[in-house]
Structure formats: C-alpha cells, structure tokens
Amino acid sequence: MMKNDSFNTENISKDAIMFRKKEGEEKRKIDESILSQNPKQKTSHSKTLLDDNTRKYSGKDKFNVGYIVCDPPDSVCPTIRVLSPLGKLSDKIFVDRSIMQEGNKFLVRKDNLYKADIILIQRTAFLDRSIAELKSPCRKIIYEIDDLLIEVPASNPNRSVFEGFQNKIIDAIKGADAVTVSTNALKERLSVYNRNIYVLPNYIDIEIWGGKVSNPAVNKDKLVIAFIGTPTHQEDISMITPAIKKVIGEYGDKVMFRFFGCITKELLQLKGVEFVSDLIPDYRAFARYMKSLNIDIALAPLVNNSFNECKSNIKFLEYSICSIPGIYSRITPYASSITDGKTGVLCDDDQGNWYKAMVKLIENEELRRQIAECAHGEVLEKYTLEANAYRWYDFYRTLIEENTHRISVITTKKGNLSLRVTCEDGSIKTLHSLYDPEAEARSIVDAFQFDGSGILVVLGLGLGYHLKELVQRFPEAEIVVVEAMPEIYEMAMQHGMISGLEGRIEFVVGFAVDEAISKITSQQMKLGMVSLSVFSLSSTVSAFQDYYSPILTVLRNTMNVKLWDRLRYPKFREDVCSVALIDFGYFLTREIEAALRSVGHRVIKVPVSREESGEVIVSGLIKKIYEFKPDFIITINHLGLDEDGVLTSFLESIEMPVASWYVDSPNLIVRAFDRNVSPYVSLFLWDRGYIKDLEDVGFESVTYLPLATDETVFKSIKKRKRPDHYQCDVSFVGNSRVVPALESLEKIPGGLYPLVEKMALLLSSTRMPFDAVLATLEKKELSLLDPLSVQERLDFEAAILWRATLIYRLSCIKTLKDFHPRIRGDEAWKKLLGNGYTFGAPLNYYNELPAFYNASKINFNATSLQMLDAVNQRVFDVPACGAFLLTDHQDSIEELFDVGKEIVVYRSRDEIPELVRFYLRNPKERENIARRGRERILKEHTYRHRLDTIIQNMKNRYG
C-alpha cells in the first residue's frame, strides 16, 4: 500500500515541481536581465541604512525606478506598461521590482524603495496602504493605471473585486505626484482627481512579436474567424452573437468561429464554434502562440460605455502585427487609430453592420490581404516600442528633474564648502555658513543642552560639520542621523566632514516620515528604552519642513510626556482583565475575542499584517497600550512578533507580558524567531511533545494547552435543517497537503528531494518523532544537511512533515473506498484518489462545516503528522456538534476523552474498515457516543476553558 501511495503522490509532486521550476527559471531570467542593467558598486558604509549598492541619479544619465506590482512580471500589464518600455532604456533606467511574494501575500521591500528616484505603483498593488507612507522630498511617486477601474461595468465579472478598490484607487490617484495612463480618454476621466496625468500609449515590442508578416495557410477547408480576450468580454461578444449565428447559418461548414479566453453559454451550444478556455498568462508566450494561430479574420467588439471608451487599441496592434485583418467596434480605442476599410473595418453597435462586415471579408480574400498588409505596415511605422520608448525616459527624467539640480556645492570665504538647495516653494537656502561652516558648527553645538547619555537624534546632515562636533563632544551617546535627501548624504560622504564616522552613527537616509520614526523607535527599543534627545540642523529642517516637522513633533511629544514611563504600569490589579489581542486575520482571533468577552474581560484588537515591520507594529501598539492599558497581550503562533525581536524587546522594556498560544508546530516558527525569547513571553502549546524543545530554546514559561471549540458555532442541528446534499455515511474534511509540501520543496536544494521522500515514507508508516526519523539516516545522508541555513533546515523539516501527512492521510482514506466516502478539501484529492469517492470544495468553517458534521453518520479524521501527541481541531469540533467521530489514536486523547465511550479511535489503518462497518450497523451506539462526546466538550473543552487557563497562568506569573 505504501508503494502505491508514494507512486500516486510522487507523480503529482514531480509534475508540479517541474512546472514551478520552469516558472522560476523564467522569473530568474527576467530578474537577471533587469539586474544586469545596473552594475552594483560596493561601499564600506556598513551601518548606513541607505544601501549604497545602487547608485542614485542626480543629474546623471541613469536613475532608479522602484516598481510595485502584484501581477507576475511576465503577464500582460507589467510587460506592456513597464518592463518592456523600461527594458529598452536599460542604459538609462534601473528597475527594481521591490516586492516579493510570501504564500498568498505580497510583501513590499521598503528599504529598496528608499533608494529609488521614482516609485511606480501599478493598478491595485500597495493599495491596502497609503501612498503617503512612501512620500519623501527625494523621490516621486507614479501611479500607473491602464483601465477605468473606478467605473467597472456591472457586466464585468471582476466588478465586485474592483468595487472594493474604488476608493483606494481614487486615493492613490490623488496622492501620487503623477499618474500614467494609456489613452487620452482615460486621462480625461481621471483628471478630476489629479492634474498631473500623462499619456504613455501602448506599443508593440518587436522583440516580443517580431516584425515579419505571417504567411497564412492556403487551400484551407474552413475560414477561421476568431476572438481573443479575457473572460471579462462576455457582454461584448454577446452584442455580436446574432450576427455570428447568421453567418454560421449562411456559410455552415465553410467557416469556423474560434474563441480564445472568453465565450458565452449561448455561443458554446452553436455548431461551428470552438472554445480554447485559457489564455496564456506569459505575454511573450502568448505572442508566440498568437502568431502561430491560423486566423483569417479577427473580431474586436466593445460595448459603447465609459469603461470601454477608456481602453487602448492594443487588440488592433496585436492583430495587425500578426497580419490578421480585424473588425472593430466604432468607439474611441479603434475609431481614433483605424482607417475604416484600409487598416481595419469599423462597425457600429448594429447587428446588420457586424454581419455585413464579416460577410464582406469572408467573400473578399484580396480585401483581407490588403487590410492585413496595410495594418501591419502602419503598426511598424507608428506603433513600435523601439521607436517610442524614449517617451518613458523623457517623462521620467522631467519628473525627476523637479528633484535634481537643486542641490549644489559652493565654496565659502574660508575656502571650505557649503550646500545650497532649492526648496519646494522655489526659495533658495544655504545649509551652512557662507563664511566659516566649521566655526558655525562649534557655535551651535556649544548652545545645545545635552548630558551625553541615551540616543541623540540629529535631524539634517548637510555636509556634517555639526555631526563631527557632536561625535567629539558626546562620545557615549548613540547617534542617529535622519536625512531626507540621499543626494545630500552622498555629497557629505564625498565632500563633507563625516569620513570615518560611519561606525559610530546610524544613518536613516531617504526614509518616509513614518518609517524614519519607526527606525528611531527601533533603535531606542534595542537599547532598552533609553532617553532620547533631538538636535536639529535648523537650516535643513526649514528647507524641508514637510519632511522634518512631523518627525520633530512626534519626537518632542515622546520626550515631553515621558511616554516610556507611562507605558510601564502595574498589571492584573482587578479580577477582570484587559487584554490586547494581536489580530493577524488568523481564524482563532474571533474565537479568543468571543471567549474573553463572554466572561466579562475587556478586549482590544491590534490589527497587524505581514507587510509591516516590527518597528511599524510597535508604533501602532504604543498608542493601544497607552490608551487601553492592557494587563497582557495575547497572540497565536507568535504572529506579530517579528524575526528581529523588535516587538519582543519593546514589550520587555515596558514589562508587558505576552501569551503566545501555539496551535501549529513551534519548531517551524520559533527556531527562525529565536530573538523573541524573553521572560515576558509565556508559551502555551497545543502539543506537550514540543515543551522540552521550547524550554531548550530558552523560554522560561511553557504550558500545555490543547485546542478547543466554540460551542456556539459547533452545535447540534436538527435533521430537517441539514442540507440534503450533505447527507452521507462517511466523510472526511481536510487538506491533502500537496501544495504546502511543494512550496516547502521549492525552498530547499533539489538534491534533497530523494531524502525528503525517504524520510516522509518512514514517518508516515511509523509516526515516529521527526528527530527519531532523522537519527535513522546514514552519515553520508546527514552530511547533505550541513550546508543548510537555519531557515532551509526548517523548510526541509516542513517538506517532510507535509509530504508524510499527505502519504499517511491518503493511505487511511483509501481504506474507506468501499463506503463511498464524501471528501471535502482541495482539488488534489481527485487526482490522488480517483473513482469511488464523492468530492466537494472546501467548506466555510463557520457557516457550512457544522452542518456537514451533523449530516455525516461517521466523520473520519487522520491527524497531521506535525502533531506528536496532540489531537487536531476536528476532534473537538465534531463532538461539539453531537456528531460521531472516528479518529486515529494520539497519546493526549486518553486524558481529554473517555475513549470508547465519548470518542472512537483506530490504532492502525487495518482497523478502519471494520470500525466503520460496526458503527454504521449500530446507530444507537453511535448516537450515544456522540452525545457523551458533546457533554465532555461542554464541560471541559471550550475556548472559555482555555482562555481561563491562560489568564490564571498569566496572573500567577506576572500579577
């Protein structure tokens, strides 16, 4: 059985791995081509937060664009609108795609963005945050949009998605320094929100499409008429469906209509219509594919509405470069660029016109050839990117020049140097004395009142005369310099007085206001919340008031109210607790909040996202703590506690206790977050098998706390209220773990795949602890692990656990085949199990799953192998519904339930079929066990019970 299981899952794994590796290779090629545009230069400024590996444009020929996009880089919008045009300018522009994907989330690498002259945000990327976060005097922000996404028509299947983005898109347009669009019509519609809107039309990249004329096949049996477009065009093709029907009725087998990417149910039913369901997302591959198609006539219908009026003529360009004659709707995108009858055929929204246009081209082969030839020539003459890429450079350069050429080095009367800057309002300021900057620096530092302890924040760098004085006068102080303009920093390094000071000073250069404040806060936390003082270079602060004034205000408020002292206060003074709950969107957040409130405790949620750094999280948390004064903070799986330990250091400095409840393997998390060890962090583990591991890491308080259930959600449902399609004898709800296993495999060297498979097979058959399986390896095999980093070792372990769980669950579920079980989970189950099973999509945890458990006579469970002794969520949720559960034996189940009376377990896979038969034949026994299981849940295993344990533990330790 194990061999068969391995064979089935291995085939899926190999196919998926090869597909993902191919994707990765393509992505790497793009990355390498972009990176090769900018030869990196090394510097010795190791403590400088401005990474000087990428040189900035300051009146030179080359500048940086930080690109934020959530679409794959090889897809249509990134390719056409950004990467292709800027790729033609590789000698002048360096593009850094400052975003990375982690699971289903996209993380913006802000430190990279702070090096950019321009930040380019495309469509819906970054819109969960404010563009203001990236604002700075030293960079410009462009918002790129190529569709009227704020007015998506009701017929568009993506309307509901973009409705959620509508206000955010408008805010992005308003907040950007400039907006780029593809058409004049789109510019007019958006100009009410921003005056600085620039049209950069779509063009054809000959490197992608090639310039040769296609050679259409001759003597074909059928003439092919095609539509190529995304699934959003259903209304457009519905508009011309009557004309298509009429053509098919008249010409029969002489014509074939082919639809690529979009079709309607009505068209699918017609004889003479073919549908190719999926368009190719890779734009280069799509171009190759389109040129290979044997199309005689192309259709481009667009319903006349404001959304379509703002579209570009990209379909005309693509059809024409492929030498395909097209019929187009007579609306702006096409009417403004097509000569009717010469480079295409234009039609009004009239079925008779569309029918006549199709008949005209069907009957006239010479006309088709002439239109194709003229359109192809026009694209090569007017619409190639090779001839028009300069438009991007000219626009970007003009935008940047608003920032550059306004900083200059001048010689003073004493022969040393000063800086002259042109301010936002056009006024000119000098940052240092025009007579003797060094004497001036000594004078202003003499007047500065500072005892030399704690952190000294210096606002404004200039050429660093004052900084040199401060370092000499206050050798014990930790100095942080905030400088808005990277150009000024570069000039100070080249001409100023700060050479040799890099190791003594933390430079925060070019950061947005909020991020600069966060960096200062982070430094203060790392040093144990020491006192903070501020020195302002008044000339710089006044020159860039919009940047420095908010920072100065925040720092002064912090110093004036002695915030850090106010964040330290006695805890657990009352029976009722105040709890701050880190809200990471994890499913347990809702349950914990409800359980705490149900017994009278006060709760405030602190929203946190993966995109936020520890410093940003701290900034938001400070206000919550100051106003709410929680007795402790609770989080799940260390969520919110960053890898660098910034949040943990802060919370320890203000003596704020944290309870972290682990409901997943802590070894896969804490080992990568070892800086979060603190006497103020107490761990609660759903599996006692991990307690020693966490104590060995250094945690002083580690407590066993099993999972539980919400009895208000998982409860008995009367038979008449259970959906009929849920009724079944045997069911299984769960994930195959195919995708998590593949995602972990991608993160480790390919040479380890056979070792992963070997260990997963052993683990799935023996259910030994991971370390015991590791101990079975030979020395030669263990040596393969020596080069791995800590994170790679964790990914290696995760790959084995998920792969082993897949094999184990598959082997268990196969024993149920004779009972025709109902499987609800991911798509992979269909390929893994084949016939004999009924498959369904995943169920909503809160709204659907309780009814499904109630409707199943036997709910089957196979525990994930990341659990050593513990039982999973299903072991609590199913009995809470008064439903029957058959689960595998785990050591902890003996103390949680009366096995055999409240719950039934199997100890080997061979026992499963007989147990299922017995309990299907004995419904009364099954119902009694289910009833007693619910009674035990209500007595001992709800979230209220678990939260009471946490609170008592925290009171005893920190009260």
Side-chain angles (χ1 to χ4, degrees):
M1 178 175 289
M2 295 308 298
K3 286 184 179 179
N4 289 335
D5 294 339
S6 177
F7 174 79
N8 288 335
T9 55
E10 189 176 63
N11 286 344
I12 287 181
S13 298
K14 283 181 177 177
D15 291 345
I17 289 167
M18 290 305 294
F19 172 75
R20 288 173 180 245
K21 279 191 169 294
K22 186 176 180 182
E23 272 191 325
E25 287 167 5
E26 291 298 320
K27 181 174 180 293
R28 271 194 302 276
K29 288 177 184 176
I30 294 172
D31 287 343
E32 288 166 3
S33 69
I34 293 173
L35 291 174
S36 67
Q37 299 167 13
N38 184 56
K40 295 186 174 182
Q41 302 175 17
K42 301 289 183 181
T43 74
S44 60
H45 313 319
S46 58
K47 285 200 72 179
T48 305
L49 292 178
L50 169 71
D51 182 354
D52 204 26
N53 284 343
T54 304
R55 305 305 301 167
K56 288 186 60 61
Y57 172 88
S58 53
K60 295 177 289 193
D61 290 335
K62 195 163 188 173
F63 51 88
N64 294 347
V65 174
Y67 180 31
I68 303 178
V69 60
C70 289
D71 294 322
D74 52 13
S75 59
V76 178
C77 286
T79 302
I80 293 178
R81 299 295 302 157
V82 179
L83 295 178
S84 274
L86 298 190
K88 306 296 181 194
L89 304 165
S90 59
D91 60 328
K92 295 179 172 62
I93 299 176
F94 169 73
V95 180
D96 176 15
R97 286 189 290 108
S98 303
I99 197 163
M100 56 186 176
Q101 187 169 4
E102 185 176 299
N104 293 324
K105 292 185 177 285
F106 292 89
L107 311 181
V108 177
R109 299 176 298 190
K110 285 189 177 179
D111 282 12
N112 285 31
L113 292 180
Y114 298 140
K115 298 178 289 188
D117 302 282
I118 286 175
I119 294 176
L120 177 62
I121 300 171
Q122 188 167 29
R123 289 171 69 91
T124 57
F126 198 74
L127 296 191
D128 59 328
R129 311 284 288 276
S130 170
I131 280 181
E133 292 182 28
L134 301 175
K135 287 274 191 177
S136 170
C138 66
R139 68 182 72 93
K140 294 292 185 179
I141 297 177
I142 298 175
Y143 179 60
E144 155 63 28
I145 183 170
D146 62 341
D147 272 316
L148 188 60
L149 299 181
I150 59 174
E151 294 183 32
V152 177
S155 60
N156 190 309
N158 294 332
R159 177 188 171 111
S160 60
V161 174
F162 287 112
E163 278 184 328
F165 280 105
Q166 185 178 37
N167 291 334
K168 295 177 180 179
I169 290 171
I170 291 172
D171 288 342
I173 295 170
K174 289 178 177 179
D177 295 299
V179 179
T180 54
V181 296
S182 53
T183 69
N184 283 307
L186 186 55
K187 174 182 177 178
E188 290 174 12
R189 299 290 293 193
L190 301 181
S191 60
V192 66
Y193 304 112
N194 193 321
R195 293 188 210 174
N196 299 318
I197 298 183
Y198 299 84
V199 179
L200 293 171
N202 288 331
Y203 294 101
I204 283 292
D205 188 344
I206 297 300
E207 181 188 342
I208 292 176
W209 288 91
K212 286 187 177 181
V213 179
S214 300
N215 296 314
V218 293
N219 300 322
K220 292 193 304 181
D221 293 334
K222 294 183 180 182
L223 186 140
V224 177
I225 305 172
F227 170 85
I228 301 174
T230 64
T232 61
H233 287 279
Q234 288 204 350
E235 185 181 22
D236 300 320
I237 57 179
S238 293
M239 178 182 73
I240 63 170
T241 296
I244 292 172
K245 286 182 175 179
K246 194 172 180 181
V247 169
I248 292 174
E250 181 168 337
Y251 288 92
D253 292 340
K254 294 180 180 179
V255 297
M256 170 64 68
F257 283 87
R258 288 191 176 137
F259 289 81
F260 298 84
C262 183
I263 199 168
T264 62
K265 290 181 180 179
E266 184 178 7
L267 284 168
L268 269 174
Q269 296 171 0
L270 298 179
K271 184 181 179 182
V273 172
E274 289 182 354
F275 178 50
V276 179
S277 60
D278 295 322
L279 287 175
I280 300 171
D282 183 316
Y283 190 64
R284 290 174 181 267
F286 166 72
R288 292 193 296 272
Y289 175 66
M290 188 167 163
K291 293 203 76 171
S292 71
L293 297 175
N294 198 0
I295 298 172
D296 298 285
I297 302 168
L299 306 177
L302 287 177
V303 171
N304 197 346
N305 57 39
S306 58
F307 182 80
N308 286 339
E309 283 279 353
C310 293
K311 280 186 168 294
S312 78
N313 63 349
I314 189 66
K315 280 299 159 204
F316 165 66
L317 302 183
E318 291 172 346
Y319 289 155
S320 299
I321 197 65
C322 295
S323 299
I324 303 171
I327 305 174
Y328 307 88
S329 283
R330 195 188 299 273
I331 68 172
T332 302
Y334 304 126
S336 60
S337 57
I338 294 172
T339 303
D340 191 13
K342 183 177 180 182
T343 57
V345 178
L346 296 173
C347 283
D348 297 319
D349 293 352
D350 178 86
Q351 303 308 318
N353 284 341
W354 277 92
Y355 168 72
K356 289 177 183 176
M358 283 188 271
V359 169
K360 186 176 183 180
L361 291 186
I362 290 170
E363 296 287 351
N364 195 332
E365 181 179 348
E366 177 60 22
L367 180 60
R368 296 199 304 268
R369 186 193 63 75
Q370 288 176 3
I371 289 176
E373 187 176 301
C374 287
H376 184 270
E378 180 141 328
V379 169
L380 290 179
E381 182 182 348
K382 296 181 181 179
Y383 295 105
T384 67
L385 193 55
E386 283 72 6
N388 289 281
Y390 73 90
R391 297 177 186 271
W392 273 260
Y393 178 68
D394 285 351
F395 164 59
Y396 284 15
R397 183 183 61 188
T398 301
L399 195 63
I400 287 175
E401 283 177 350
E402 296 178 16
N403 280 349
T404 57
H405 303 306
R406 66 182 187 184
I407 303 170
S408 56
V409 178
I410 55 177
T411 303
T412 70
K413 290 184 178 181
K414 276 282 189 176
N416 41 25
L417 303 176
S418 183
L419 286 181
R420 178 172 286 157
V421 300
T422 302
C423 305
E424 296 285 348
D425 61 4
S427 63
I428 296 175
K429 291 186 181 294
T430 304
L431 301 188
H432 304 290
S433 167
L434 289 175
Y435 179 72
D436 189 347
E438 293 185 10
E440 177 192 49
R442 287 192 294 270
S443 175
I444 59 177
V445 172
D446 284 341
F448 177 55
Q449 301 295 314
F450 178 51
D451 64 6
S453 62
I455 294 176
L456 175 59
V457 179
V458 180
L459 300 182
L461 172 59
L463 291 176
Y465 294 104
H466 57 296
L467 191 56
K468 183 177 181 181
E469 286 293 322
L470 289 168
V471 170
Q472 291 174 348
R473 303 274 188 98
F474 308 110
E476 299 301 319
E478 293 287 335
I479 299 178
V480 178
V481 177
V482 179
E483 174 50 56
M485 304 294 291
E487 290 89 346
I488 289 179
Y489 170 80
E490 291 179 355
M491 289 179 179
M493 295 303 296
Q494 182 179 357
H495 303 293
M497 309 293 291
I498 63 174
S499 178
L501 301 181
E502 304 92 76
R504 281 276 289 112
I505 301 167
E506 192 86 14
F507 288 96
V508 179
V509 180
F511 278 41
V513 169
D514 289 346
E515 296 289 329
I517 293 170
S518 295
K519 290 293 183 184
I520 296 167
T521 303
S522 173
Q523 188 70 2
Q524 191 175 22
M525 288 186 296
K526 288 176 183 177
L527 297 174
M529 303 313 296
V530 296
S531 61
L532 185 148
S533 301
V534 178
F535 178 97
S536 298
L537 182 60
S538 58
S539 56
T540 300
V541 171
S542 63
F544 304 107
Q545 290 186 38
D546 289 346
Y547 182 80
Y548 288 108
S549 291
I551 298 175
L552 189 56
T553 299
V554 170
L555 297 181
R556 281 176 175 167
N557 288 342
T558 299
M559 293 185 292
N560 290 341
V561 300
K562 297 184 178 179
L563 180 62
W564 310 121
D565 290 337
R566 295 192 182 192
L567 294 177
R568 296 186 183 96
Y569 49 83
K571 313 294 192 301
F572 301 103
R573 302 295 290 271
E574 303 175 17
D575 291 336
V576 173
C577 288
S578 296
V579 183
L581 173 59
I582 300 293
D583 182 4
F584 218 86
Y586 199 78
F587 85 96
L588 267 182
T589 304
R590 167 175 163 172
E591 286 79 357
I592 290 174
E593 180 184 15
L596 287 169
R597 292 190 188 280
S598 70
V599 291
H601 297 296
R602 295 181 292 269
V603 182
I604 185 170
K605 290 199 290 187
V606 182
V608 172
S609 70
R610 271 185 205 281
E611 290 82 2
E612 294 175 329
S613 64
E615 294 90 343
V616 173
I617 294 171
V618 167
S619 297
L621 190 57
I622 286 174
K623 184 179 180 183
K624 300 285 188 183
I625 295 174
Y626 184 77
E627 295 175 349
F628 187 67
K629 290 186 168 49
D631 292 297
F632 72 101
I633 294 171
I634 187 168
T635 184
I636 306 297
N637 291 354
H638 257 68
L639 293 173
L641 300 180
D642 59 291
E643 186 173 349
D644 294 327
V646 172
L647 182 56
T648 300
S649 298
F650 163 66
L651 295 174
E652 184 173 341
S653 71
I654 63 170
E655 301 172 357
M656 174 60 68
V658 178
S660 182
W661 187 8
Y662 270 90
V663 294
D664 284 306
S665 170
N667 281 349
L668 299 179
I669 303 171
V670 169
R671 286 180 189 170
F673 289 73
D674 55 359
R675 296 180 186 177
N676 284 293
V677 175
S678 165
Y680 282 89
V681 176
S682 291
L683 301 187
F684 297 85
L685 306 186
W686 94 131
D687 192 324
R688 61 160 47 93
Y690 292 99
I691 289 179
K692 186 178 184 305
D693 291 345
L694 274 297
E695 289 176 338
D696 290 345
V697 170
F699 287 98
E700 298 174 7
S701 176
V702 187
T703 304
Y704 169 56
L705 188 71
L707 295 171
T709 191
D710 184 345
E711 76 283 8
T712 67
V713 174
F714 291 89
K715 56 189 177 183
S716 296
I717 299 174
K718 294 180 180 180
K719 287 186 178 181
R720 67 176 182 273
K721 292 186 177 181
R722 302 170 189 172
D724 291 340
H725 63 283
Y726 284 175
Q727 306 290 340
C728 61
D729 286 344
V730 183
S731 70
F732 174 78
V733 179
N735 192 288
S736 68
R737 293 298 174 184
V738 166
V739 172
L742 291 173
E743 288 176 345
S744 297
L745 282 174
E746 289 176 357
K747 298 174 183 177
I748 62 175
L752 294 176
Y753 292 172
L755 198 56
V756 168
E757 188 67 15
K758 174 182 177 179
M759 294 180 68
L761 285 168
L762 181 59
L763 182 60
S764 66
S765 60
T766 64
R767 303 194 69 191
M768 298 163 56
F770 180 83
D771 288 343
V773 174
L774 196 63
T776 66
L777 299 181
E778 300 175 1
K779 286 185 177 180
K780 184 178 179 180
E781 292 172 319
L782 285 171
S783 67
L784 296 175
L785 307 181
D786 292 339
L788 299 184
S789 66
V790 172
Q791 185 58 55
E792 286 174 325
R793 283 178 176 268
L794 294 178
D795 294 328
F796 174 70
E797 181 175 341
I800 293 167
L801 287 173
W802 303 145
R803 178 77 172 132
T805 297
L806 185 162
I807 296 169
Y808 170 66
R809 282 185 170 174
L810 182 62
S811 66
C812 290
I813 294 171
K814 281 188 172 182
T815 67
L816 300 171
K817 185 173 183 179
D818 292 344
F819 305 100
H820 305 289
R822 191 179 296 272
I823 311 296
R824 300 303 294 260
D826 55 299
E827 284 290 321
W829 283 122
K830 292 181 183 179
K831 293 183 179 179
L832 293 168
L833 292 167
N835 297 327
Y837 303 82
T838 302
F839 301 99
L843 296 161
N844 180 277
Y845 182 76
Y846 298 103
N847 300 327
E848 298 175 316
L849 197 52
F852 188 77
Y853 286 158
N854 271 272
S856 300
K857 293 178 182 177
I858 295 178
N859 291 279
F860 183 77
N861 182 49
T863 308
S864 168
L865 296 188
Q866 67 168 317
M867 295 175 140
L868 304 177
D869 303 317
V871 297
N872 61 8
Q873 190 69 48
R874 205 166 294 112
V875 175
F876 298 98
D877 289 345
V878 173
C881 292
F884 181 86
L885 179 72
L886 175 61
T887 185
D888 44 2
H889 182 269
Q890 293 281 93
D891 289 345
S892 65
I893 206 167
E894 301 284 351
E895 62 188 272
L896 297 169
F897 296 92
D898 189 342
V899 175
K901 292 185 178 180
E902 298 170 341
I903 204 164
V904 175
V905 303
Y906 59 92
R907 293 175 182 270
S908 73
R909 280 162 281 198
D910 296 336
E911 296 176 1
I912 294 172
E914 191 55 41
L915 285 169
V916 172
R917 288 191 190 93
F918 177 82
Y919 285 104
L920 286 177
R921 292 170 184 164
N922 294 275
K924 279 293 180 187
E925 181 66 17
R926 193 175 71 235
E927 290 166 7
N928 287 336
I929 289 172
R931 175 180 51 78
R932 291 192 291 264
R934 175 167 169 77
E935 290 170 357
R936 173 70 73 161
I937 291 288
L938 297 178
K939 183 179 179 181
E940 297 180 6
H941 301 316
T942 69
Y943 286 114
R944 282 181 292 177
H945 294 107
R946 302 297 183 256
L947 269 297
D948 184 61
T949 299
I950 290 176
I951 286 175
Q952 291 305 316
N953 183 290
M954 299 299 282
K955 279 184 176 180
N956 293 339
R957 181 169 174 78
Y958 302 106

